[in-house]
Amino acid sequence: VQLQASGGGMVQPGGSLRLSCVASGFSFSTYSIGWFRQSPGKEREGVALISSSKGITYYKDPAKGRFTISRDNAKNSVYLQMNDLTPEDTGVYYCGAAQYSGAPPELYDYWGHGTLVTVSS
């Protein structure tokens, strides 16, 4: 079982990044996938989630209006398009897989290793 997050990097404020999360080893299409981030000095927080069956999306307040989560079950992939980035978006971004969309992080079944996003001028 593997979740591989990629697409992080350094970007200037106002810039964009697209993160990818590619899964293998489990029935990807039946899992809800969430993006989380851990910023320096802060606890891990949820960013966005997409449900398994209908692809319903949920966003935490910092992501609303700027980030878009999507999935391609044929490619076992979930994406996070991040626009209008600010320094507060800096952190390590993780993708995780849960059997239901309302699961708290501690009940997620699988996690990727994370990809670093740095927003700085």
Side-chain angles (χ1 to χ4, degrees):
V1 172
Q2 189 174 18
L3 282 173
Q4 184 65 49
S6 63
M10 180 174 286
V11 64
Q12 292 185 343
S16 299
L17 283 173
R18 186 186 192 222
L19 306 184
S20 298
C21 175
V22 180
S24 61
F26 65 99
S27 184
F28 175 80
S29 64
T30 67
Y31 280 75
S32 295
I33 305 296
W35 281 101
F36 295 76
R37 69 185 182 192
Q38 187 160 18
S39 302
K42 297 183 179 180
E43 295 185 353
R44 187 180 299 192
E45 63 177 349
V47 175
L49 179 139
I50 187 164
S51 69
S52 58
S53 57
K54 298 183 179 180
I56 298 173
T57 57
Y58 306 86
Y59 298 93
K60 292 294 188 178
D61 284 344
K64 290 179 180 177
R66 301 187 300 129
F67 295 2
T68 302
I69 188 171
S70 61
R71 69 188 297 159
D72 184 343
N73 288 338
K75 296 182 178 180
N76 281 6
S77 296
V78 168
Y79 308 99
L80 185 68
Q81 176 67 44
M82 305 188 295
N83 299 328
D84 194 22
L85 287 162
T86 73
E88 289 69 36
D89 295 314
T90 294
V92 179
Y93 283 69
Y94 302 86
C95 56
Q99 293 187 43
Y100 62 101
S101 59
E106 57 267 28
L107 295 183
Y108 272 56
D109 294 278
Y110 311 117
W111 289 96
H113 288 295
T115 185
L116 177 63
V117 172
T118 303
V119 185
S120 176
S121 55

